[in-house]
């Protein structure tokens, strides 16, 4: 099987893998899926993702289809580098292989400009035209004309707060703080028209390529707020050369007043996703993030 054959007959890939007709090398691919490098007969490689057998349940319906739709949509903007979708099947996804490289200031600045271009490509509504996922969890992508603040609270905060309470990951204290953020969501300001965003842009989903470009992978793409992508880039230690990324972005498309104070608000979504997925390990992070968001409104909390 070569790349041309695979593009013409993507449905044959599972059979070739089952019968070990393709060289398969495990690679790192995140905490949800099993990932591998497939080396084809013509020397080309593709990056393949499958639902791991150890998950204990079948792949969620539409899981890989949603990721493929998001990649196509981000790639259509023609700005940031996004891998080509080679195979999109219910049970697996295969993408253009990207040789990894080292982060450089030059690549960071280019990425900042390109990310602004991606966001400016816009979206017809908040949400998307396909069912969404964030990690292994469903994400409500029902198109909504906004305003953004109410949509964000309803679809990106409340559902994951409920999951986190139901699984015992959050105590009444943390849940109360998030509830207050939700109740005061309109006070944060910064509402904008829908941007075309990655939606899960923590630093692990930024691939620094050997071509000295930044590639976007593992999206939860949808129409959202551009500040969400930028805030997520600062999570878990922050993307390399984040200051260069933000400066180049601001030169291309300046951010609205108060964006720095809204960073914790935008980060709260992924923190709640983590407590919904992984339990109480991220409980304190949710509490800190919610307090920081409220402090940005000028309110000092006395809890902890």
């Amino acid at each position: 099987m070569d790349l041309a054959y695979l593009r013409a007959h993507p449905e044959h890939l599972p059979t070739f893998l089952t019968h070990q007709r393709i060289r398969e090398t495990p690679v790192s691919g995140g905490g949800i899926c099993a990932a591998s490098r497939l080396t084809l007969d013509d020397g080309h490689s593709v990056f393949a993702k499958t639902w791991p057998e150890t998950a204990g349940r079948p792949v969620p319906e539409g899981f890989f289809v949603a990721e493929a739709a998001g990649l196509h949509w981000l790639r259509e903007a023609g700005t940031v580098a996004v891998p080509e979708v080679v195979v999109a099947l219910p049970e697996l996804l295969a993408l253009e292989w990207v040789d990894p490289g080292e982060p450089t200031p030059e690549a960071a600045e280019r990425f900042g400009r390109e990310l602004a271009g991606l966001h400016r490509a816009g979206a017809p509504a908040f949400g998307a035209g396909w069912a969404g996922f964030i990690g292994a969890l469903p994400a409500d992508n029902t198109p909504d004309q906004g305003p953004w603040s109410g949509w964000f609270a309803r679809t990106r905060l409340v559902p994951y707060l409920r999951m986190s309470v139901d699984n015992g990951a959050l105590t009444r204290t943390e849940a109360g703080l998030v509830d207050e953020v939700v109740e005061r969501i309109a006070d944060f300001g910064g509402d904008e028209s829908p941007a075309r965003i990655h939606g899960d842009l923590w630093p692990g989903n930024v691939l620094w390529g050997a071509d000295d470009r930044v590639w976007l992978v593992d999206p939860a793409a949808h129409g959202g707020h551009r500040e969400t992508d930028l805030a997520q880039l600062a999570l878990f230690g922050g993307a390399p050369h984040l200051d260069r990324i933000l400066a180049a972005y601001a030169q291309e498309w300046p951010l609205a007043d108060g964006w720095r104070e809204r960073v914790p608000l935008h980060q709260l979504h992924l923190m709640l996703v983590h407590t919904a997925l992984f339990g109480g390990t991220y409980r304190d992070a949710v509490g800190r993030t919610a307090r920081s968001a409220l402090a940005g409104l000028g309110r000092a909390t006395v809890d902890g």
Side-chain angles (χ1 to χ4, degrees):
M1 176 181 280
D2 58 21
L3 187 58
Y5 182 92
L6 183 58
R7 286 193 172 113
H9 305 282
E11 71 280 3
H12 292 176
L13 182 56
T15 301
F16 275 75
L17 288 172
T18 299
H19 294 285
Q20 299 181 338
R21 297 284 300 277
I22 299 176
R23 189 171 74 190
E24 184 175 6
T25 307
V27 296
S28 60
I32 302 297
C33 291
S36 59
R37 179 176 185 171
L38 307 182
T39 304
L40 307 179
D41 291 340
D42 60 359
H44 284 100
S45 292
V46 296
F47 174 84
K49 297 174 66 173
T50 58
W51 189 254
E53 296 179 3
T54 55
R57 60 188 178 94
V59 57
E61 184 178 355
F63 181 78
F64 290 117
V65 172
E67 182 171 344
L71 288 164
H72 281 304
W73 190 57
L74 297 178
R75 189 175 166 90
E76 282 174 2
T79 57
V80 180
V82 179
E84 174 195 356
V85 176
V86 180
V87 177
L89 299 174
E91 67 273 29
L92 66 84
L93 188 68
L95 309 176
E96 169 187 4
W97 178 262
V98 178
D99 286 320
E102 295 298 323
T104 66
E106 294 77 17
E109 291 173 1
R110 179 174 180 176
F111 175 51
R113 295 189 296 270
E114 291 177 339
L115 186 61
L118 173 68
H119 290 164
R120 265 192 163 145
F126 296 106
W130 53 86
F133 286 88
I134 180 75
L137 298 176
D140 184 357
N141 271 351
T142 305
D144 191 309
Q145 293 303 316
W148 170 82
S149 54
W151 170 85
F152 186 73
R154 288 191 305 274
T155 69
R156 296 304 187 259
L157 297 182
V158 171
Y160 307 102
L161 169 61
R162 290 173 178 162
M163 293 180 201
S164 300
V165 170
D166 289 346
N167 71 10
L170 298 181
T171 70
R172 184 178 302 176
T173 298
E174 294 86 29
L177 288 166
V178 178
D179 277 334
E180 185 169 356
V181 172
V182 169
E183 290 168 4
R184 302 187 65 185
I185 194 74
D187 297 338
F188 287 89
D191 277 343
E192 292 185 345
S193 298
R196 186 171 306 207
I197 72 170
H198 178 283
D200 189 12
L201 200 57
W202 69 285
N205 287 340
V206 173
L207 175 58
W208 299 81
D211 57 355
D212 210 29
R213 293 193 73 186
V214 171
W215 294 72
L216 297 188
V217 297
D218 294 342
H222 62 274
H225 200 303
R226 61 194 178 114
E227 290 177 12
T228 299
D229 273 355
L230 297 173
Q232 291 173 350
L233 281 172
L235 286 169
F236 309 121
H241 308 296
L242 181 58
D243 56 338
R244 298 287 191 101
I245 296 171
L246 295 176
Y249 186 104
Q251 289 178 354
E252 192 73 21
W253 190 9
L255 292 161
D257 291 344
W259 71 269
R260 293 185 186 276
E261 287 71 32
R262 288 189 292 272
V263 166
L265 171 65
H266 290 275
Q267 292 177 338
L268 187 56
H269 166 51
L270 280 193
M271 292 296 95
L272 289 169
V273 168
H274 276 67
T275 49
L277 274 172
F278 306 118
T281 303
Y282 290 91
R283 176 182 300 149
D284 290 345
V286 167
R288 287 194 302 271
T289 306
R291 288 187 181 93
S292 294
L294 293 168
L297 294 176
R299 178 192 183 281
T301 65
V302 297
D303 298 313

